[in-house]
Amino acid sequence: MVRNKILAISLLFAFGLGVGCAGQKSIVVGSKNFTEQLILGELIAQQIEGCADLSVERRFGLGGTLLAHQAIVNGEIDIYPEYTGTALTSVLKEDPAGRTPEQVFARVRDVYRERFGVLWMEPLGL
């Protein structure tokens, strides 16, 4: 089964998963390997379990940004929390200088969709 790839940066994402993952019975939540990411990954997993008819497999502690990014692009995970600034600088190798947070988000969202087939959700606002 081909899984939709969703990059999580919103706790409101669970409502969108019902459309994006129709027919899918489980979802794999990943996270990078530091405390904030582990907590965000667990929050995402619990939100899915509480709001959607999906079981959740947790794959936490994947390593750094590039490892987590490769896991979602390869379909090894379906969703994980990421930061727009990190995606822009580490993955896309672009300079954020002179860009507003809204511009950074729009750039990352558009390039991830076009280049990687990954949906970038709205920011958490943290």
Side-chain angles (χ1 to χ4, degrees), residues 6-15 17 27-32 36-52 54-60 72 77-83 121-122 124 126:
I6 301 171
L7 190 59
I9 57 173
S10 172
L11 292 180
L12 300 176
F13 68 88
F15 301 107
L17 288 177
I27 190 162
V28 181
V29 177
S31 81
K32 294 188 274 184
E36 182 177 299
Q37 283 281 302
L38 296 170
I39 292 168
L40 289 172
E42 183 60 31
L43 288 171
I44 290 166
Q46 288 183 23
Q47 184 75 7
I48 293 169
E49 289 170 335
C51 297
L54 297 169
S55 63
V56 175
E57 178 184 342
R58 290 160 173 83
R59 290 192 192 158
F60 296 165
I72 201 162
I77 61 175
D78 297 304
I79 191 167
Y80 82 99
E82 187 57 272
Y83 312 98
M121 304 302 288
E122 292 293 322
L124 284 169
L126 303 175

Side-chain angles (χ1 to χ4, degrees), residues 4 6 64 91 97 115 118 123:
N4 290 328
I6 301 171
V91 177
R115 190 181 301 170
V118 173

Side-chain angles (χ1 to χ4, degrees), residues 40-123:
L40 289 172
E42 183 60 31
L43 288 171
I44 290 166
Q46 288 183 23
Q47 184 75 7
I48 293 169
E49 289 170 335
C51 297
D53 189 25
L54 297 169
S55 63
V56 175
E57 178 184 342
R58 290 160 173 83
R59 290 192 192 158
F60 296 165
L62 294 173
T65 297
L66 299 179
L67 291 173
H69 171 77
Q70 200 59 49
I72 201 162
V73 169
N74 289 342
E76 297 165 8
I77 61 175
D78 297 304
I79 191 167
Y80 82 99
E82 187 57 272
Y83 312 98
T84 54
T86 300
L88 185 74
T89 59
S90 295
V91 177
L92 302 183
K93 308 286 189 218
E94 294 185 17
D95 186 354
R99 297 184 193 189
T100 67
E102 295 79 19
Q103 290 169 326
V104 171
F105 170 74
R107 176 70 178 154
V108 169
R109 179 197 61 215
D110 294 347
V111 174
Y112 266 66
R113 183 179 339 129
E114 294 165 11
R115 190 181 301 170
F116 306 118
V118 173
L119 174 64
W120 196 282
M121 304 302 288
E122 292 293 322

